[in-house]
Amino acid sequence: MSPAMATDGPALAELLLQRLERAGGSGLGSLEAAAALGLEHQQLVGAVKSLQALGEVIEAEQRSSKRWELTSEGKEIIQEGSHEARVFDSIPAEGLPQSKLMNLPSGKVGFSKAMSNKWVRLDKNADGGPRIFRAVESVQDSVREKLQLVQQGEAESLEEKDRNELKKRKLLTEVVIKTYWIRKGSAFSTTVTKQETDLTPEMIASGSWRDLKFKAYNFEALGIMPESGHLHPLLKVRTQFRQIFLEMGFTEMPTNNFIESSFWNFDALFQPQQHPARDQHDTFFLQDPAKATDFPMDYLKRVKKIHSQGGYGSQGYKYDWTLEEARKNILRTHTTAVSARMLYRLAQQEKFTPAKYFSIDRVFRNETLDATHLAEFHQIEGVVADYGLTLGDLMGTLREFFTKLGISQLRFKPAYNPYTEPSMEVFSYHQGLQKWVEVGNSGIFRPEMLLPMGLPEGVSVIAWGLSLERPTMIKYGINNIRELVGHKVNLQMVYDGPLCRLDA
Amino acid sequence: MRSAAVVQVCDMPTVSVKRELLFQALGRRYTDEEFDELCFEFGLELDEITSEKDIISKEQGDGKAEGASDIILYKIDVPANRYDLLCLEGLVRGLQVFKERIKAPRYKRIMPVNVDVQRLIITEETAQVRPHAVAAVLRNITFSKDRYDSFIDLQEKLHQNICRKRALVAIGTHDLDTISGPFTYTARPPSEIRFKPLNQSKEYTASEIMDLYRTDSQLKHYLHIIENKPLYPVIYDSNSVVLSMPPIINGDHTKISLNTRNVFVECTATDITKAKIVLDILVTMFSEYCEKQFTVEAAEVTYLNGKTCIYPELAYRREKVKPDLINKKIGISETPSSLAKLLTRMCLKSHVTGNGNNIEIEIPPTRADIIHACDIIEDAAIAYGYNNIQMTIPKTYTIANQFPLNKLTELLRQDLAAAGFTEALTFALCSQEDIADKLGADISSTKAVHIANPKTAEFQVARTSLLPGLLKTIAANRKMPLPLKLFEISDIVLKDSTKDSAFFPGRCAEILAKGQSIGKLGVLHPDVITKFELTMPCSALEINIEPFL
C-alpha cells in the first residue's frame, strides 16, 4: 500500500493499527511512526484522534518533545549551497569587481563568511577598483553538509556549538512538537468499524441501529444557532411584569395616550402649578396642539378650589390657580396621569366598587441624558383602591409583588411625593453591591387628590411605581441604557438575550 | 393610535454640614453607619461623605484642591417639602426632638422695647412687577463663621427650592445698624435706580447692573424675572440708601458681617403664602442665636390701601385628629397617649383630649408642609417606624382584565417573533426630518404633534409612523448578516389620519380590513432607503391594529 493511499482517513488509521499490532505491548511513538510511514506528523496525529474517538481501541498519551528543524533559509541552503559557497562558485579565475559581487543575492553574507574562511582574497589596488579573487582551489561546503544531517533527522549527531552557530544564522530552529505515545487499548482491533453519525429512518425501520456503532458527539463544538425571530429583552421583562400583576388580580389601564393635558398629569394629582416638575426643563410641552379643551368642568372647579383655597380638611396651597396652565398639553411625565383618569372614572360609578389597576408604559422627561437617563422610559405602576386600606396593606402588597420578582429583603424609608402621603421609598438588599438600593417608590394618594374626584371619604388608594428599564438592565447586565433602548442598539444583543425569569 | 409610580421622584435638596459641627450640636458622636441608619429612619438620606478638598478635586482636578479644607462633610438629602431641615440648625433640632433629647422650641414674635417697630411701606408701583413683601428683625444675634455661612447657605437653599429660583420669593438680609427706617418697597424705571451692589466697588444704574451680571454664573439665572419689566423693584431706607433690588442683588451698604448684631430680613414675592413661609423658616432657624433665644422682633408692613400687617406670622395652628383614624390609616393599634407622644417627637406637640377620643396637635410655623390630617398621620408613622409596621395583605377582591389592545399586541408579538422577525424598540420622539423629508413627505402634511421645547432635534415631534425607527435600527446594524427582519408594535401619535408616500409606486398596496384601510405594504421607495443611509432594498408593512379589537 502506497503512502499516498494511506492518507485517506480509515485506511491510514488501519495502517497505524497494524503497526501498533507489530509493535506489541510497549507501543510506539507518533513521530517515529510518521517517519516510518513517510507521512507528515500532523496526518498521523489526525489518525490517532479519529481512533481515540472510537473509544478504547487505542490509548494515546500526549508527550511533547523538542526537535531541530530547518528554517526556510536553511532549506534553501540545502538546495543552493551556503552563501559563502555560492560566492566562491561565482568568482571566475580572473576575479570579480567587489561592487559586482556585492550585488549578487548571496553577496554580502557570503563574502564576509568566505573571507573569514580564507576562501577568497580582496585586492584593493586592482585596476578598475577593488577586486575579489579565489584564494583556494576548491572548498568543502560544511554548512550545507550539517544542514543535510539535520534534514535527515540526525541533528543530535552535530556538535552543540555547530547547532548553536546554525541557529544563530537562523538556519535552524528548535521546535516543540506534541507527539503521542500510542498503545493498544482494551478494545484493540486492527480493523476500523465505520461509525454512524446520525440515526436514520431506514435504521429505525430495519432495526439495524441495534448493531451499528454511533460516533460520539463532540460536545466541545459550538453548534449552529437555529434561525429565528427574537423578542426585545425590555419587552420580555414587560411581559413578566404584566404577568405578575395579572396573577395578583390587577386590571390593566388604557395607557395608549402619550399626550396628556397638564390638568390630568399634574393638577388632578394636587401637584401645584409652580412645582419644579412643571418646568420647561423637566417636561415636554406641545407646540401643536398646545392646549387641551375637554375637561369635566365640575371636577375641574373642585380641583381649582383645593389648590387655591383648600377644602376637604386641607389648607390647600393658597395660590392663584389658572386654567391656562392646566390646559397646556404635554407628553405625559408619568402614567399616574392615567391612574388619575381611572380613579375619576371609578368615582363616577353609582356605587363604589374596589379596584386594582396596573400599567406599564412609556413616559417622557425633558431631562439631561446620561448612561441611565433617556428622554423616554417605561413606568410600571400598581394602584389599589378600597375602603380602609392601611400603610401596612401597602407594605404587604409590595412584599408580595417584589417576592414575585425574586426580591425578598425589603426596607421602607419615609419620603416625599407631591401626591402621596404617607410616602415610602422601597429599598432591597443587593447581594452583589452589599448595600440597600432603592427599587421603587410608593404611597397613599392624598385626600386632596381623591376627594375632589368624588371618591367616598373612607376609600384609601395605595400605589407604587418603578421603572422597567432599571430592573431589566440589572437582569441583563447592561450598564448603559443606550445599549438597551432605541434604534442604536446592537441587534446581536436582542438575538442573544436569554429568557427572562425574574424570580430565578 | 397603536400601529401594528406612582411616582415621580422629585429632586431632593441636599444640605452639606460639617460632621464635627453636627455631632457637637447633637451632643454625641455616631459612626457613619449609625448616622446613615438614623437618617433612613427619619426620612433623610446620607447621600455622600466628603470634604471640600474631595469636591474640588473631583470637579476640577487634584491640582486645584491643594490647600482646600479636608474637614469631613456630610451631604444629606432632605425631602423637598421640609424647609425646616435645610440647615444644620434645623436638622439638629429635628433629630434631637425625634430622639427626645430636647423639646421642640416655641417660637415667639415680640414687639421691640425702647425702639419703634421697623416699618416697610409698599407702594403701588410694585403691583406691576412683584407685589408682595414681608419683613422681620433678628435682634441681638451673635454670628460666628459657621453660623454666618449657614445663614447664607439657608437663604440659597430656600431660593433654589420653595422660592423657585427667586421667581416666587427673594430674600434680602441687611445689617439694621447701617440703615434707618421706615423702609420703602417701590418700583422704578431701571435708569432711575442707582447704587453700589453687594461686593462691588462703585455705583451702577439698574440697567448697568443687569449688564454686569449677564455673565455671572449665579446671578445671570435671575435677570429674566424682571428684565423686561418697565419698572424694577427696589427697597430704600428713609435716607434713600438702597437695601436691595430684588430678586437680583442687595446693596453693598447694608452687607452683614460676623460682627452684625441686628439683622433686617425682607422677602419680596409674587406669592404671598410662600413669602410668609420663607420668612418664618429663616427667622425660626436663626433666632436660636439671638440674645432672647427663639424670639423674633416684629416688623410692620403697610400696604398702599393703608392696611397694615405684622410679620413674621409665626402662627401655631391647632388640628384635631381621632386616634382611631391614625391607627386605621397606618395599620397599628397604639393608645391615644402613645400616638400623641409619637407626634410630639416629630415637632408636632400633641396631647389627648376629650376622654381620649381626640388628639390635639399644634402645627408649628416651621412645618408649612402639614396641610392635612394625612400629613400628621405620616409623621405618626415615621415616629412609629415604617419598618415596625405589621405587613398585611388587603382583602380587596377583584377580577383582573387585560387591556384589549395590549392583549392583542402581546399575541401579535409572539407570532411575529415565531415568524422569524426580531423585535425592535425605538423612540416615540424623533426629528421632523425622520417623519417627513426622509419619508418623502412634507412636514405640514404629516399631521404630526410638535414639541414646543425640545433640547435637540431628536425630540422635535412624536412619531407618526414606526418606519423611521425601524429603518434607523437597520442603518445602525448594517454590519449584521442579512436578511434583517424587524418588527415593532407600539403607539404612534397623529392629530388625524395621514397618507403615505414612503413606498415605491406600483410596488405597494393599501391594506383593507373590515371595510376600512388599516395601512400599507410594499417595497420602500429608493429615495427613502437612501435617505436612511441604506443600500439594500427594504420591504415594509405598517398597519393599525386597533380595528382588530
Side-chain angles (χ1 to χ4, degrees):
Chain A
M1 194 181 287
S2 76
M5 278 184 69
T7 53
D8 68 339
L12 175 55
E14 283 191 3
L15 214 53
L16 178 62
L17 290 172
Q18 286 157 17
R19 244 191 134 70
L20 192 56
E21 171 82 349
R22 287 202 293 278
S26 60
L28 53 83
S30 59
L31 209 54
E32 293 73 18
L37 289 168
L39 295 170
E40 290 285 329
H41 183 242
Q42 214 41 49
Q43 282 176 292
L44 196 101
V45 169
V48 170
K49 285 195 172 155
S50 69
L51 287 171
Q52 271 180 311
L54 299 179
E56 304 297 316
V57 178
I58 61 163
E59 284 171 19
E61 179 192 341
Q62 200 176 46
R63 291 175 178 182
S64 64
S65 64
K66 287 183 180 173
R67 203 174 78 165
W68 291 96
E69 272 189 4
L70 297 174
T71 63
S72 59
E73 194 180 343
K75 284 176 187 158
E76 182 194 311
I77 285 172
I78 286 180
Q79 297 287 322
E80 312 273 337
S82 68
H83 298 296
E84 51 270 37
R86 277 184 260 172
V87 162
F88 181 83
D89 289 342
S90 61
I91 299 173
E94 69 275 17
L96 201 63
Q98 189 182 20
S99 56
K100 208 167 170 187
L101 184 128
M102 286 305 182
N103 281 337
L104 294 173
S106 297
K108 276 183 188 149
V109 187
F111 172 66
S112 66
K113 285 282 168 200
M115 281 294 281
S116 67
N117 286 352
K118 298 200 167 61
W119 291 353
V120 297
R121 68 180 171 80
L122 174 64
D123 182 356
K124 286 187 180 167
N125 302 319
D127 291 344
R131 209 174 176 85
I132 318 286
F133 295 93
R134 285 191 181 183
V136 292
E137 282 297 309
S138 64
V139 297
Q140 188 187 0
D141 191 353
S142 63
V143 169
R144 185 185 197 174
E145 286 163 8
K146 286 170 192 161
L147 291 175
Q148 278 166 340
L149 280 177
V150 174
Q151 194 186 29
Q152 288 153 17
E154 291 172 45
E156 297 310 315
S157 63
L158 291 178
E159 281 184 39
E160 194 176 333
K161 85 170 180 8
D162 287 338
R163 279 201 305 263
N164 287 339
E165 168 70 18
L166 292 171
K167 189 180 168 191
K168 215 166 139 189
R169 286 186 67 177
K170 299 206 166 84
L171 304 177
L172 274 191
T173 173
E174 192 173 23
V175 293
V176 177
I177 52 170
K178 299 249 185 274
T179 63
Y180 288 93
W181 190 259
I182 311 156
R183 289 192 188 85
K184 291 181 186 171
S186 56
F188 182 78
S189 149
T190 51
T191 53
V192 178
T193 317
K194 179 174 173 282
Q195 291 188 309
E196 302 296 336
T197 50
D198 288 308
L199 184 65
T200 65
E202 292 73 24
M203 293 173 193
I204 296 170
S206 68
S208 65
W209 57 270
R210 292 174 208 279
D211 305 316
L212 293 170
K213 282 199 165 184
F214 287 87
K215 195 173 179 192
Y217 272 140
N218 174 11
F219 289 105
E220 304 297 320
L222 287 174
I224 302 162
M225 289 302 286
E227 269 184 45
S228 71
H230 306 269
L231 293 172
H232 192 282
L234 188 83
L235 301 179
K236 286 201 265 196
V237 179
R238 182 180 73 177
T239 301
Q240 291 309 306
F241 272 101
R242 241 181 130 247
Q243 194 64 41
I244 288 169
F245 277 114
L246 292 170
E247 284 168 8
M248 291 174 72
F250 283 65
T251 284
E252 194 167 28
M253 291 188 270
T255 47
N256 56 331
N257 60 315
F258 293 159
I259 292 165
E260 190 54 274
S261 63
S262 291
F263 178 78
W264 286 107
N265 195 81
F266 296 120
D267 297 284
L269 299 171
F270 195 52
Q271 200 155 351
Q273 296 192 328
Q274 314 91 331
H275 193 276
R278 305 180 69 154
D279 201 284
Q280 296 274 330
H281 298 293
D282 289 86
T283 298
F284 286 111
F285 288 86
L286 261 55
Q287 184 180 58
D288 178 25
K291 298 282 167 90
T293 46
D294 216 7
F295 300 109
M297 288 315 285
D298 281 354
Y299 170 51
L300 182 134
K301 276 180 197 152
R302 293 194 293 271
V303 169
K304 175 178 179 165
K305 187 161 180 235
I306 192 85
H307 278 249
S308 51
Q309 299 169 37
Y312 306 100
S314 174
Q315 300 288 309
Y317 292 124
K318 301 193 173 81
Y319 71 95
D320 290 331
W321 187 91
T322 68
L323 178 60
E324 275 312 284
E325 192 60 40
R327 284 183 59 205
K328 287 182 181 170
N329 273 328
I330 59 168
L331 290 174
R332 67 171 173 226
T333 64
H334 48 200
T335 50
T336 319
V338 179
S339 308
R341 284 178 180 271
M342 292 299 283
L343 290 169
Y344 173 73
R345 200 153 90 188
L346 184 64
Q348 306 320 301
Q349 287 181 183
E350 202 141 306
K351 187 179 178 297
F352 172 83
T353 50
K356 295 197 283 197
Y357 297 131
F358 83 96
S359 67
I360 312 168
D361 212 332
R362 265 179 227 242
V363 297
F364 302 83
R365 306 272 170 93
N366 197 5
E367 287 184 317
T368 313
L369 313 181
D370 60 31
T372 52
H373 293 89
L374 288 173
E376 42 191 282
F377 63 94
H378 291 72
Q379 184 185 337
I380 302 168
E381 180 165 348
V383 176
V384 185
D386 200 355
Y387 281 102
L389 295 175
T390 67
L391 204 52
D393 287 337
L394 172 60
M395 292 163 65
T397 305
L398 287 166
R399 183 188 58 195
E400 297 306 312
F401 177 78
F402 281 99
T403 301
K404 282 176 176 287
L405 298 179
I407 294 171
S408 53
Q409 241 179 315
L410 285 188
R411 203 161 77 131
F412 303 89
K413 174 177 165 293
Y416 168 68
N417 299 308
Y419 42 86
T420 59
E421 189 85 11
S423 308
M424 36 176 62
E425 283 170 2
V426 190
F427 282 71
S428 91
Y429 192 75
H430 193 286
Q431 293 296 346
L433 300 171
Q434 296 277 300
K435 65 172 187 181
W436 292 89
V437 294
E438 197 195 327
V439 291
N441 205 337
S442 68
I444 302 183
F445 282 134
R446 293 191 71 98
E448 292 98 324
M449 167 180 165
L450 303 179
L451 296 174
M453 289 175 171
L455 283 169
E457 184 121 17
V459 168
S460 291
V461 180
I462 61 177
W464 74 98
L466 59 155
S467 95
L468 176 63
E469 280 77 359
R470 189 142 174 261
T472 305
M473 286 167 75
I474 293 170
K475 195 80 197 167
Y476 284 87
I478 294 169
N479 293 322
N480 190 332
I481 196 164
R482 289 181 180 80
E483 290 167 21
L484 178 67
V485 181
H487 60 265
K488 287 187 181 154
V489 302
N490 185 348
L491 284 173
Q492 196 65 46
M493 179 277 295
V494 182
Y495 291 174
D496 294 345
L499 289 183
C500 169
R501 292 204 296 168
L502 292 174
D503 55 352
Chain B
M1 185 194 284
R2 181 157 307 174
S3 274
V6 212
V7 184
Q8 171 164 343
V9 185
C10 294
D11 285 339
M12 280 203 247
T14 303
V15 179
S16 175
V17 296
K18 291 181 183 168
R19 186 171 65 179
E20 277 311 303
L21 223 53
L22 178 71
F23 290 170
Q24 221 171 53
L26 288 171
R28 62 157 287 185
R29 306 194 62 79
Y30 290 84
T31 64
D32 292 340
E33 291 72 27
E34 283 167 348
F35 191 72
D36 183 54
E37 198 60 36
L38 175 61
C39 283
F40 193 94
E41 193 188 351
F42 193 57
L44 302 168
E45 198 170 328
L46 178 55
D47 185 47
E48 205 185 348
I49 302 166
T50 180
S51 71
E52 227 165 88
K53 199 171 190 168
D54 272 356
I55 295 169
I56 298 175
S57 74
K58 229 183 249 171
E59 287 172 359
Q60 305 170 29
D62 288 342
K64 301 262 177 160
E66 199 115 343
S69 160
D70 44 19
I71 293 172
I72 300 292
L73 298 176
Y74 275 174
K75 290 198 150 190
I76 302 168
D77 283 348
V78 175
N81 63 341
R82 290 297 300 270
Y83 315 117
D84 60 318
L85 303 175
L86 285 176
C87 61
L88 174 82
E89 290 72 15
L91 270 175
V92 167
R93 229 173 277 167
L95 289 171
Q96 293 291 74
V97 173
F98 183 59
K99 285 290 172 191
E100 295 173 285
R101 293 200 197 99
I102 61 166
K103 284 189 172 163
R106 200 177 169 83
Y107 307 102
K108 234 174 115 184
R109 181 175 75 197
I110 52 170
M111 294 310 280
V113 276
N114 303 329
V115 287
D116 285 342
V117 63
Q118 297 297 334
R119 286 176 60 216
L120 177 64
I121 300 150
I122 304 182
T123 74
E124 63 185 308
E125 291 85 354
T126 59
Q128 301 172 36
V129 44
R130 203 172 179 83
H132 306 289
V134 294
V137 173
L138 289 167
R139 184 67 72 180
N140 291 321
I141 193 167
T142 308
F143 281 121
S144 65
K145 179 76 172 75
D146 287 320
R147 291 172 180 184
Y148 178 89
D149 289 347
S150 178
F151 189 57
I152 301 296
D153 204 41
L154 175 60
Q155 292 176 49
E156 177 58 18
K157 291 271 148 43
L158 291 167
H159 275 153
Q160 291 308 316
N161 294 286
I162 179 172
C163 303
R164 296 290 288 118
K165 297 184 175 131
R166 303 193 189 180
L168 301 183
V169 187
I171 312 160
T173 54
H174 312 276
D175 188 332
L176 182 59
D177 299 323
T178 65
I179 38 179
S180 61
F183 307 101
T184 306
Y185 174 42
T186 185
R188 297 218 176 134
S191 55
E192 290 173 25
I193 303 170
R194 190 179 169 81
F195 66 103
K196 186 158 97 177
L198 188 66
N199 299 329
Q200 296 290 337
S201 51
K202 60 171 193 145
E203 290 196 349
Y204 297 89
T205 65
S207 319
E208 290 168 343
I209 289 170
M210 299 299 268
D211 286 336
L212 185 66
Y213 292 132
R214 213 164 295 283
T215 52
D216 187 286
S217 61
Q218 280 194 335
L219 298 180
K220 67 177 178 191
H221 300 297
Y222 311 124
L223 303 182
H224 73 96
I225 303 172
I226 57 166
E227 193 161 23
N228 297 319
K229 310 269 181 184
L231 304 179
Y232 286 6
V234 61
I235 302 176
Y236 293 101
D237 84 341
S238 59
N239 299 317
S240 297
V241 170
V242 171
L243 277 70
S244 65
M245 184 176 87
I248 312 297
I249 190 82
N250 286 356
D252 194 60
H253 182 88
T254 62
K255 180 162 71 177
I256 61 166
S257 71
L258 295 189
N259 300 321
T260 298
R261 296 303 314 273
N262 300 299
V263 180
F264 180 67
V265 184
E266 41 86 3
C267 300
T268 57
T270 55
D271 179 327
I272 183 68
T273 312
K274 294 214 163 47
K276 290 180 196 170
I277 295 171
V278 168
L279 183 68
D280 278 353
I281 292 289
L282 189 67
V283 297
T284 51
M285 292 300 117
F286 284 86
S287 58
E288 183 175 348
Y289 304 130
C290 289
E291 201 169 76
K292 288 186 196 157
Q293 247 193 346
F294 305 118
T295 67
V296 184
E297 185 179 304
E300 196 181 281
V301 175
T302 307
Y303 289 86
L304 49 136
N305 59 9
K307 193 180 116 192
T308 294
C309 296
I310 304 285
Y311 293 110
E313 284 194 339
L314 296 186
Y316 282 80
R317 187 175 92 240
R318 280 164 203 278
E319 296 274 1
K320 279 189 180 163
V321 182
K322 298 220 176 298
D324 191 39
L325 182 73
I326 300 178
N327 278 327
K328 272 188 176 161
K329 289 283 179 189
I330 301 174
I332 53 177
S333 44
E334 292 291 290
T335 62
S337 63
S338 153
L339 291 173
K341 213 170 140 188
L342 291 174
L343 288 168
T344 303
R345 281 175 52 207
M346 301 302 288
C347 291
L348 302 175
K349 200 172 152 221
S350 305
H351 62 272
V352 183
T353 63
N355 303 329
N357 285 332
N358 249 324
I359 296 178
E360 189 174 85
I361 302 118
E362 193 177 57
I363 320 294
T366 45
R367 293 298 305 275
D369 59 298
I370 306 282
I371 58 175
H372 190 277
C374 67
D375 299 300
I376 294 167
I377 292 166
E378 178 181 71
D379 272 15
I382 293 172
Y384 182 84
Y386 275 7
N387 296 291
N388 298 325
I389 299 169
Q390 187 69 41
M391 294 190 213
T392 46
I393 297 175
K395 294 184 179 70
T396 310
Y397 182 82
T398 53
I399 303 290
N401 286 306
Q402 301 186 48
F403 180 47
L405 182 59
N406 289 358
K407 186 175 179 178
L408 178 61
T409 299
E410 288 288 288
L411 292 170
L412 281 171
R413 289 175 59 235
Q414 296 294 336
D415 272 18
L416 275 165
F421 288 81
T422 289
E423 186 170 35
L425 176 61
T426 67
F427 297 124
L429 295 180
C430 59
S431 68
Q432 292 186 9
E433 198 190 1
D434 284 341
I435 56 160
D437 303 5
K438 286 185 178 177
L439 290 182
D442 188 77
I443 187 70
S444 59
S445 73
T446 57
K447 308 286 180 194
V449 162
H450 292 252
I451 307 297
N453 56 333
K455 280 179 183 155
T456 73
E458 290 169 75
F459 309 128
Q460 286 171 330
V461 289
R463 64 181 171 203
T464 55
S465 158
L466 296 175
L467 266 186
L470 290 181
L471 293 176
K472 288 195 286 184
T473 305
I474 294 175
N477 282 279
R478 276 173 296 200
K479 285 183 189 157
M480 296 296 289
L482 293 173
L484 284 173
K485 295 160 76 179
L486 299 184
F487 79 96
E488 181 168 17
I489 307 178
S490 187
D491 290 340
I492 59 167
V493 183
L494 291 175
K495 279 193 288 180
D496 52 52
S497 289
T498 179
K499 280 178 66 180
D500 216 322
S501 54
F503 292 96
F504 199 32
R507 288 283 179 280
C508 66
E510 195 160 355
I511 302 164
L512 301 169
K514 304 193 173 186
Q516 57 175 308
S517 167
I518 58 161
K520 277 197 167 185
L521 90 165
V523 175
L524 290 183
H525 199 287
D527 285 346
V528 173
I529 292 171
T530 311
K531 281 176 180 159
F532 281 96
E533 295 166 35
L534 298 172
T535 53
M536 305 295 279
C538 293
S539 55
L541 171 150
E542 186 167 26
I543 57 165
N544 175 16
I545 64 170
E546 289 179 7
F548 299 99
L549 291 177

